Amino acid sequence: MPKRSRQRRLAELSDRLQELSERLEPSEQPAVAAELTAPSRWREAVRILRKTDRLLALRIGRKVVNHLCSLGLDEAQRLLAEADAVDDPSALLGESNVPAPKHALSTSILLGDEPFALAATHLGEAELLRLLRRWIMEERAGAFIRVLGNPRSTLQEIGESLRYHRRSLAAEDLAASICRTVRVLLCQRYLTDQLEFLKVAKDAATTEDFDDLIDRLVLPPESHGKLGGKGAGLLLASWTLDPAETAAVACAITTPSVATDIDLAEVRIPRTWYVASDAVLDFIARNDLEDVMRQKFKDVAEVRSDYPNIIQLFKHSLFSPEIVRGLSVALEDLGERPLIIRSSSLLEDRFGTAFSGKYKSLFLANQGPPERRLEAVLDAIAEIYASVLGPDPIAYRRDRGLLEFDEQMGILIQEVVGRRVGRWFLPAFAGVAFSRNELRWSPRIGREDGLVRLVPGLGTRAVDRIGDDYPTLLVPGQPTLRANVQPDEIARYSAQYVDAIDLDQGAFVTVPLAEMMAAAGADYPALDKVFSILNEGMLQKPVPMFLDPAEQDLIVSFDGLVRETSFLRQIQAILVRLEAGLGHPVDIEFAHDGEHLYLLQCRPQSQGDDAAPAYIPRELPAERVVFSAHRYVTNGTVPDITHVVYVDPDRYAALPDRAAMLATARAVGKLNSVLPARRFILLGPGRWGSRGDITLGVSVTYADISNTAMLIEIGRRRGGHLPELSFGTHFFQDLVEARIRYLPLYPDDTGVVFNTEFLLGAANELAALVPEATALADCIRVIDVPAVTGGQILRVAQNADLDEAVAYLAEPT
Amino acid sequence: MSATTAFNPFTMAQTQFDKIADRIGLDDGTRALLRSPLREYAFSIPVHMDDGNVQIFRGFRVQHNDARGPCKGGIRFHPLETFDTVRALSMWMTWKCAVADIPLGGGKGGVICDPHNLSAREQEAICRGWVRQLARDIGPVTDVPAPDVMTTPQHMLWMLDEYEAIHGGRYPGLITGKPVGLGGSLGRTQATGFGVVYCLREALQELDIQPQDTTASVQGFGNVSQYAIELYHELGGRTVCVASWNQAEQTSYSFRKADGIDLDQLRGITNRFGGIDKEKASDLGYEILPGEAWLTQEVDVLIPAALEAQITGESVADLSGRVRVIAEGANGPTTPEADAVLERNGVFVIPDFLANAGGVTCSYFEQVQSNMNYYWTMDEVLTKLDHKLTDAYHSVSELARKQKLYLRDAAYVLAINRVATACRDRGWV
């Protein structure tokens, strides 16, 4: 029997069975209930089964008997023995070391009515019909699994097979083990081979999810590719947020304060198309670019100088007709909306490798006739393919031994979330969020409270760190605690520019905020959620009718968003759900068009090499420890510190006058400019950056400390009172953007080390480095660590999980 | 660490006072009275925090002296606030009001807290709690608070609202720093910068220098500087150099134009924090020089209006010999060592607490307008400000001339003598 027609008949049979069993379901309609008593609906079913597919009927007959045996029915045992012509079934279970005889099988018993009649008697007709249907479904699924499990099957074949079997796979009563096998295989073929990922994905995914996916997947001929990290991560996140998953994940959520009334079904995923990762291989082969790919083994300088040519070479290469056709369909579906073309490499965003931002993402205005839009998309994809050979990714891969790994690159074609505002297209706001907060400006903020970096417009500015332009920092678990509280602080540490797509120019642009607001005015989406008006030192809510951007000072404060919407609770619910579901801290990218929140990306929370929990050495000899801490510790290692600048709290407090204290700040500023950048740390009393009463801390500005690797505040008890430290609040956000670490020390706590012998005893370089500050040499100690330790350096290991930090002398790395 | 060995701000303020008292020959009784505040309040403010806990915050108010009128002074929110800091600052407010000759005394208050650790609701609870503890001891005709370190107009309005709820009426004169429309005064933005130039104008006149023959170099391009330059240009002066902070580069630059800066043009390329766009300035023909260059320009007038301790024992040597007047728009831009050199060289320094008294004078105007519930136009405010500061300047300079005092010393002497006289006239001492 031809395979296809058999399948079709199976489908019909299954439908017929469905119909029969529906009529047998207990119903409120008396007429149907009466039919229950009508004899032998099952006979009709079995008749059809035998007629349709004799082999199948035989297998099903055996399943019936096996099932009845498992229920302990003696008659069934007898039937089975007859069917297999076994005299003594128990003999097979013994310890006999002689091969069992091969018997002739008697199929007639299994093809007859007897097993079914027995089942109808013992199970009831309805149950029998249900079982028949389920077994037929399993037979069909089996066919699909054979395609799916065959490594030679192409994604085209799998897709076709999935489309064909979609209905039987959706059957509710399909055996759990089969469903699971199908899900695992689907995840493996489309998403990743990584075990950690599969473990999570197989439970979050449903076959319907893949059913949706294959319709939006562009494949090269004979594809064996995958979606790549970004694509897989986004899909996994969206499945995890699916309300159907809620119950399972909710059990795993332990954070007590998380809102339970947030409807995560409200969270959307932008319409996305995917290009399989092996399309790049097809592209390379088609255009004879294999030689170029060996570029990665050259030295970085050469890679850098060749890179511009490679981009052009790629841009002038051709895609296979299949890809071009697929992308045309995608563009038809996506319409004339701005797009972002994102890389989704197999190396990127994997569990354990932080490979974020190394490959390109390109924005396209996507306006105009279809041919032109298609050309732009092809051009962008070629450029992203070329970025595999960019100097940064290559250097990064070389450092991590990933160079040999064959770099396949999936592509995401995603509609940009947003609205048209004047000539621009942009979301109301966008940003990134982390489920673990590693930047606490208040002791009231815990790690599990999370962190959001929020900007108006496209989220590119929340990811990057840019001079005098700041994202707004919010803590989902502590929405009322803001990093900046005074109106002038809020204004200073806020967005001054907006990234958007200029629809007229067809380009990605950065627009000064004032210019955009002058043009957009009250048309800006969610205006009163994003902006406040700074008026006479008060932050006021903008009233669209009275908005006058020329006269009013519009500040990005997100006050309205925090006060009047459930946005932060929504973000927190997402983060907590994803962290619980994925079993790993996560970071996400999102955008909001003023009405809906869209999830753009999800991946394990990136812990740059310097931000992972550090190993805390335990057996250090006392003389090698310079200080230790066990409060408000964040994660990370500050390696290879060559200089320690220590402002002694007692001696600073004992300075004769204000002028001496101001001179101390100036000397620190000088040291900041002469010491090697990021190779020294600053330790000082109380609050760095104090104003007014500068006995409380050295009155530096951010410019005076901008090159330090670490800012440390020492809180010593004074007459039973422990001073509150600043947590860097005077320039907290500057520290964040420059990745300067902050640590408070409490030397009077029991169990901590504060090695004054080293800090006060080691030779002081101050006079040599800043001669004009020689008079302050008592108060300011500058220690050249290698010089006084015979070549050692200072390393600060911080571990937030243990809430412990230790600074110790070690051999340089 | 023993706090006593550290310089204590209150001890420092007392030492400064003692020097002047010696100079005036103040009697022991008056001296003892003025060395310490008249009244001090310290109290607890219980606040129900957002997480359900109760936290107790420590609040203060110090009324140093009200012989010349109701106490006036800010409320500070600071995590390391001390009673002695508040005492010192309240004393300083007494002298500051007296030198400007406004009928107000000196006060200061605060709460030990860090707003960065507090939600807006918790801050509101602290503000209302502070007023509940003091509602009988402050008032529009007894003690008038204002915003200060880490307190804002919003805090003032919460406090005013609580006070009015307790006293059952509308008393906008309780507090200053309110927005216009809720009892605030016009002219607050301009007051300090204009005040600097009112004093400068009078000083030039005394020195017999025509403003239109002068050039100036200014440090800072915030509110104070911009309005100072605006008025100075109206008088005919020419600003040839302005220093401004560059946030992105974390450094400052001086912007020089020999034939004089165009204020409106420069304002057009300046952000709200007074940061001038370097590239655009360069395109407009400004020379971009290092941040310190403003100090060494060949000008007649220097207006330091940004940071403390800019003219120091070292940097004073770099000043051009042409500089005749320094008008201190910032607080404490000149160190005592530099003062000594400037006095010797005959450079005329208009001290900070006279030159930047425009701010406190405008606060006084706000209290006056609030108490009569009738508000002046901008012109009225600025005209009155001009009169007040012109008079204040002349009183100080006359004393300096007669007694051959450095202007800074004369200002202190005058202020302390005014307060001492009021105490004696009232029969307190």
Side-chain angles (χ1 to χ4, degrees):
Chain A
M1 172 182 342
K3 200 165 130 196
R4 187 53 52 78
S5 66
R6 177 175 177 267
Q7 287 290 350
R8 189 171 309 126
R9 277 212 295 268
L10 275 178
E12 282 161 13
L13 177 60
S14 156
D15 286 350
R16 180 76 182 125
L17 280 167
Q18 173 74 24
E19 189 191 313
L20 284 170
S21 57
E22 268 164 19
R23 284 167 64 189
L24 283 165
E25 299 250 317
S27 160
E28 285 166 25
Q29 292 174 337
V32 179
E35 261 191 74
L36 259 177
T37 54
S40 30
R41 286 273 161 211
W42 64 265
R43 278 182 207 282
E44 190 186 342
V46 172
R47 187 184 59 78
I48 302 170
L49 177 59
R50 275 198 292 262
K51 205 172 125 199
T52 312
D53 187 337
R54 214 177 144 74
L55 275 176
L56 177 66
L58 185 65
R59 279 202 295 276
I60 300 272
R62 181 174 288 278
K63 282 190 189 220
V64 170
V65 177
N66 280 340
H67 184 69
L68 293 174
C69 285
S70 74
L71 296 176
L73 238 67
D74 289 344
E75 285 172 77
Q77 293 285 1
R78 181 187 56 77
L79 280 176
L80 192 64
E82 277 177 31
D84 294 344
V86 177
D87 305 329
D88 179 11
S90 63
L92 291 176
L93 299 171
E95 295 255 331
S96 167
N97 55 3
V98 182
K102 186 172 175 180
H103 301 286
L105 294 176
S106 166
T107 52
S108 61
I109 290 174
L110 298 176
L111 280 171
D113 274 359
E114 201 176 354
F116 298 95
L118 189 62
T121 312
H122 286 278
L123 303 173
E125 187 163 43
E127 174 65 5
L128 174 59
L129 288 174
R130 194 187 66 79
L131 284 172
L132 289 179
R133 179 162 191 272
R134 175 174 143 184
W135 287 328
I136 291 169
M137 289 293 187
E138 283 179 9
E139 284 292 320
R140 299 191 67 197
F144 177 56
I145 289 172
R146 279 191 292 282
V147 176
L148 199 53
N150 181 352
R152 285 191 301 277
S153 305
T154 63
L155 287 188
Q156 280 89 345
E157 286 165 342
I158 291 173
E160 225 169 285
S161 183
L162 177 60
R163 273 192 201 99
Y164 189 75
H165 288 99
R166 56 175 53 146
R167 217 154 45 98
S168 53
L169 292 167
E172 281 164 29
D173 46 5
L174 207 59
S177 61
I178 292 185
C179 293
R180 202 181 131 105
T181 308
V182 167
R183 289 199 311 263
V184 170
L185 289 170
L186 283 169
C187 289
Q188 233 167 2
R189 285 309 303 264
Y190 284 99
L191 305 184
T192 176
D193 287 324
Q194 279 209 309
L195 284 178
E196 306 96 302
F197 190 100
L198 283 177
K199 209 164 63 188
V200 178
K202 70 173 193 307
D203 294 329
T206 65
T207 41
E208 289 95 327
D209 290 330
F210 285 94
D211 209 9
D212 294 342
L213 169 68
I214 55 170
D215 293 336
R216 288 177 288 120
L217 185 55
V218 178
L219 300 171
E222 304 279 309
S223 175
H224 284 79
K226 292 187 169 48
L227 296 188
K230 220 171 263 167
L234 182 59
L235 277 179
L236 180 58
S238 71
W239 299 336
T240 309
L241 292 180
D242 189 320
E245 295 293 321
T246 306
V249 177
C251 309
I253 295 174
T254 49
T255 311
S257 60
V258 175
T260 48
D261 56 331
I262 294 292
D263 183 5
L264 289 177
E266 294 285 305
V267 181
R268 301 185 173 194
I269 308 287
R271 188 187 296 254
T272 306
W273 279 70
Y274 306 85
V275 180
S277 59
D278 56 349
V280 66
L281 303 181
D282 174 65
F283 180 80
I284 289 166
R286 176 167 297 268
N287 297 288
D288 294 330
L289 296 170
E290 284 90 350
D291 279 358
V292 183
M293 293 309 283
R294 280 192 277 284
Q295 185 75 11
K296 63 186 179 187
F297 299 111
K298 294 183 179 170
D299 74 60
V300 172
E302 211 172 331
V303 169
R304 196 174 297 278
S305 70
D306 289 351
Y307 185 46
N309 303 328
I310 289 174
I311 294 178
Q312 288 311 314
L313 180 62
F314 273 59
K315 281 180 181 252
H316 285 97
S317 297
L318 294 173
F319 285 84
S320 68
E322 287 83 350
I323 296 288
V324 175
R325 240 188 337 265
L327 290 172
S328 307
V329 177
L331 281 178
E332 207 169 299
D333 176 56
L334 291 162
E336 252 182 290
R337 270 183 83 103
L339 299 175
I340 176 163
I341 317 290
R342 312 172 78 126
S343 65
S344 178
S345 119
L346 297 191
L347 280 180
E348 213 171 355
D349 306 340
R350 290 164 73 122
F351 283 53
T353 344
F355 205 74
S356 60
K358 295 287 183 295
Y359 294 132
K360 280 193 170 170
S361 286
L362 299 171
F363 285 95
L364 296 177
N366 193 33
Q367 308 290 300
E371 320 77 69
R372 215 170 66 205
R373 293 191 284 127
L374 177 64
E375 202 176 310
V377 169
L378 291 170
D379 194 56
I381 294 176
E383 187 169 338
I384 291 172
Y385 283 168
S387 73
V388 173
L389 298 174
D392 289 352
I394 289 202
Y396 185 90
R397 286 170 65 187
R398 184 166 297 163
D399 286 352
R400 279 153 192 77
L402 297 170
L403 212 49
E404 309 297 334
F405 190 96
D406 195 18
E407 179 57 304
Q408 287 192 34
M409 171 87 86
I411 298 281
L412 266 66
I413 302 165
Q414 207 170 53
E415 63 177 13
V416 175
V417 173
R419 277 176 36 184
R420 188 176 187 125
V421 178
R423 61 193 291 195
W424 301 288
F425 187 94
L426 71 166
F429 56 89
V432 290
F434 305 87
S435 68
R436 294 285 149 151
N437 188 330
E438 302 293 355
L439 306 159
R440 284 165 273 166
W441 55 84
S442 161
R444 293 174 73 183
I445 297 171
R447 287 181 79 207
E448 66 288 352
D449 287 326
L451 180 76
V452 177
R453 291 165 63 93
L454 210 55
V455 294
L458 295 173
T460 33
R461 302 191 83 72
V463 180
D464 303 335
R465 289 150 201 271
I466 303 153
D468 55 348
D469 188 38
Y470 300 86
T472 299
L473 301 181
L474 297 169
V475 177
Q478 296 284 351
T480 57
L481 293 181
R482 305 285 294 264
N484 301 300
V485 288
Q486 290 185 284
D488 53 346
E489 276 178 341
I490 294 170
R492 177 173 285 279
Y493 293 111
S494 67
Q496 316 290 333
Y497 298 88
V498 186
D499 282 350
I501 291 163
D502 186 322
L503 293 175
D504 294 355
Q505 282 181 30
F508 174 88
V509 289
T510 297
V511 189
L513 189 65
E515 187 187 316
M516 172 162 290
M517 294 317 290
D523 287 343
Y524 192 94
L527 175 88
D528 61 346
K529 305 295 183 283
V530 177
F531 294 93
S532 293
I533 293 169
L534 179 62
N535 180 24
E536 293 192 78
M538 302 269 291
L539 283 183
Q540 294 168 331
K541 181 178 169 160
V543 180
M545 191 189 268
F546 293 95
L547 191 76
D548 181 359
E551 289 299 316
Q552 291 163 337
D553 202 354
L554 284 165
I555 305 285
V556 176
S557 69
F558 292 105
D559 266 5
L561 188 73
V562 174
R563 282 169 199 240
E564 295 165 19
T565 75
S566 59
F567 167 75
L568 277 182
R569 297 198 306 145
Q570 202 176 15
I571 287 284
Q572 190 187 24
I574 292 172
L575 292 173
V576 169
R577 175 78 49 78
L578 290 177
E579 181 173 325
L582 275 48
H584 196 293
V586 293
D587 67 51
I588 59 170
E589 282 181 25
F590 58 84
H592 201 294
D593 61 6
E595 286 172 24
H596 298 285
L597 177 65
Y598 290 81
L599 184 66
L600 306 182
Q601 186 179 320
C602 170
R603 62 180 184 208
Q605 181 159 338
S606 53
Q607 289 177 326
D609 295 339
D610 58 344
Y615 165 70
I616 305 285
R618 299 286 169 196
E619 303 295 327
L620 291 166
E623 68 275 8
R624 275 181 60 196
V625 179
V626 176
F627 58 79
S628 70
H630 58 203
R631 284 208 251 175
Y632 314 121
V633 174
T634 51
N635 275 327
T637 306
V638 183
D640 296 355
I641 294 302
T642 58
H643 290 79
V644 174
V645 177
Y646 171 59
V647 180
D648 184 68
D650 288 330
R651 294 174 184 180
Y652 180 76
L655 286 175
D657 53 25
R658 186 174 174 82
M661 291 187 171
L662 290 172
T664 305
R666 278 199 302 275
V668 170
K670 285 270 166 54
L671 287 168
N672 183 63
S673 60
V674 298
L675 289 175
R678 301 282 182 265
R679 301 290 298 275
F680 68 97
I681 60 173
L682 284 173
L683 291 92
R687 305 170 65 89
W688 283 106
S690 285
R691 300 276 173 280
D693 187 354
I694 62 172
T695 55
L696 308 175
V698 184
S699 74
V700 290
T701 64
Y702 173 64
D704 296 323
I705 59 157
S706 60
N707 287 326
T708 188
M710 206 171 178
L711 189 67
I712 295 169
E713 294 188 324
I714 304 168
R716 302 214 80 153
R717 273 179 201 289
R718 294 199 224 182
H721 166 70
L722 184 65
E724 211 175 311
L725 300 178
S726 79
F727 280 73
T729 42
H730 290 106
F731 20 65
F732 179 78
Q733 213 156 340
D734 288 314
L735 300 184
V736 171
E737 304 307 319
R739 296 177 187 266
I740 295 173
R741 311 202 151 265
Y742 169 80
L743 180 69
L745 290 186
Y746 300 90
D748 300 313
D749 284 0
T750 49
V752 303
V753 178
F754 192 74
N755 190 342
T756 39
E757 205 175 314
F758 177 80
L759 292 169
L760 292 175
N764 189 353
E765 299 293 318
L766 180 70
L769 291 164
V770 187
E772 64 266 36
T774 307
L776 292 163
D778 239 12
C779 171
I780 309 173
R781 321 249 345 144
V782 184
I783 302 167
D784 181 336
V785 181
V788 301
T789 60
Q792 289 185 318
I793 47 80
L794 184 73
R795 183 168 301 142
V796 187
Q798 295 176 274
N799 187 316
D801 303 334
L802 304 170
D803 214 2
E804 279 186 59
V806 62
Y808 59 101
L809 300 169
E811 296 306 320
T813 46
Chain B
M1 161 165 38
S2 62
T4 47
T5 58
F7 87 67
N8 173 316
F10 185 46
T11 317
M12 201 169 82
Q14 285 181 319
T15 312
Q16 195 178 28
F17 164 77
D18 287 340
K19 272 190 217 154
I20 305 291
D22 287 344
R23 216 156 184 166
I24 307 174
L26 217 53
D27 62 280
D28 287 350
T30 310
R31 189 189 286 245
L33 180 72
L34 295 182
R35 276 188 107 242
S36 296
L38 279 178
R39 286 177 293 276
E40 301 184 338
Y41 306 87
F43 45 89
S44 292
I45 307 170
V47 171
H48 289 269
M49 306 298 279
D50 291 348
D51 60 11
N53 289 324
V54 174
Q55 200 173 324
I56 311 299
F57 292 89
R58 203 65 190 149
F60 306 101
R61 185 70 182 173
V62 173
Q63 296 168 347
H64 174 258
N65 192 287
D66 59 2
R68 288 173 43 84
C71 295
K72 180 95 198 72
I75 301 170
R76 294 150 44 91
F77 282 180
H78 201 290
L80 294 180
E81 189 66 286
T82 65
F83 220 141
D84 276 344
T85 312
V86 179
R87 286 183 180 118
L89 292 170
S90 73
M91 184 191 276
W92 203 66
M93 279 307 292
T94 305
W95 313 145
K96 188 162 180 163
C97 292
V99 79
D101 201 15
I102 52 183
L104 294 171
K108 207 77 171 187
V111 177
I112 302 178
C113 71
D114 186 346
H116 295 93
N117 284 338
L118 300 166
S119 70
R121 196 202 60 78
E122 291 161 348
Q123 292 177 45
E124 178 175 350
I126 290 177
C127 289
R128 292 185 184 275
W130 193 89
V131 170
R132 279 204 291 279
Q133 293 289 7
L134 282 173
R136 280 142 215 91
D137 305 302
I138 57 173
V141 294
T142 49
D143 182 2
V144 183
D148 205 304
V149 172
M150 284 203 262
T151 52
T152 64
Q154 178 64 73
H155 294 124
M156 299 305 110
L157 289 182
W158 285 328
M159 289 181 166
L160 175 63
D161 189 66
E162 187 68 18
Y163 181 89
E164 292 180 336
I166 291 168
H167 288 279
R170 289 288 175 251
Y171 302 97
L174 167 79
I175 216 155
T176 63
K178 307 179 295 293
V180 172
L182 270 173
S185 175
L186 293 169
R188 205 153 47 122
T189 329
Q190 293 86 344
T192 306
F194 279 8
V196 171
V197 177
Y198 294 142
C199 293
L200 172 64
R201 179 192 63 201
E202 298 307 308
L204 290 174
Q205 195 178 19
E206 280 188 340
L207 294 168
D208 205 17
I209 302 170
Q210 296 299 314
Q212 56 271 28
D213 299 337
T214 65
T215 55
S217 179
V218 181
Q219 186 187 29
F221 201 59
N223 262 339
V224 177
S225 302
Q226 289 187 27
Y227 285 105
I229 293 170
E230 182 178 312
L231 190 61
Y232 173 65
H233 286 190
E234 273 176 38
L235 297 177
R238 200 153 44 86
T239 307
V240 295
C241 187
V242 175
S244 126
W245 181 249
N246 187 307
Q247 176 75 6
E249 295 181 35
Q250 285 292 313
T251 187
S252 58
Y253 288 104
S254 296
F255 298 82
R256 183 167 71 182
K257 206 167 208 185
D259 54 350
I261 66 158
D262 178 333
L263 181 61
D264 288 336
Q265 191 186 51
L266 218 45
R267 274 175 165 162
I269 58 167
T270 299
N271 66 22
R272 78 175 107 246
F273 314 108
I276 299 171
D277 188 313
K278 201 172 79 177
E279 280 68 39
K280 288 183 184 157
S282 179
D283 293 346
L284 291 171
Y286 287 84
E287 273 179 85
I288 317 293
L289 305 171
E292 319 75 69
W294 74 278
L295 195 69
T296 57
Q297 299 304 307
E298 275 279 314
V299 290
D300 310 283
V301 177
L302 289 179
I303 304 179
L307 301 165
E308 215 177 342
Q310 295 304 294
I311 307 174
T312 64
E314 296 135 40
S315 69
V316 72
D318 303 331
L319 260 58
S320 150
R322 188 170 150 185
V323 173
R324 297 292 306 278
V325 182
I326 297 175
E328 297 185 334
N331 282 326
T334 313
T335 66
E337 301 82 57
D339 262 335
V341 176
L342 293 170
E343 188 175 6
R344 203 163 54 232
N345 293 352
V347 178
F348 203 78
V349 179
I350 309 172
D352 49 5
F353 80 139
L354 175 60
N356 66 32
V360 71
T361 307
C362 196
S363 286
Y364 159 60
F365 289 165
E366 180 179 339
Q367 183 228 5
V368 169
Q369 295 169 80
S370 289
N371 282 352
M372 62 184 178
N373 207 14
Y374 172 76
Y375 296 88
W376 304 329
T377 62
M378 179 74 88
D379 266 359
E380 281 177 284
V381 172
L382 296 179
T383 308
K384 287 179 164 69
L385 187 68
D386 190 351
H387 289 160
K388 204 73 212 159
L389 288 180
T390 301
D391 288 351
Y393 172 83
H394 283 294
S395 308
V396 174
S397 88
E398 196 181 309
L399 179 69
R401 225 176 10 258
K402 280 189 185 155
Q403 298 297 324
K404 303 210 168 7
L405 292 173
Y406 190 54
L407 216 54
R408 195 183 307 280
D409 298 332
Y412 272 111
V413 167
L414 182 78
I416 291 173
N417 189 55
R418 274 182 180 150
V419 180
T421 307
C423 293
R424 276 195 300 272
D425 290 354
R426 283 176 180 274
W428 291 357
V429 283

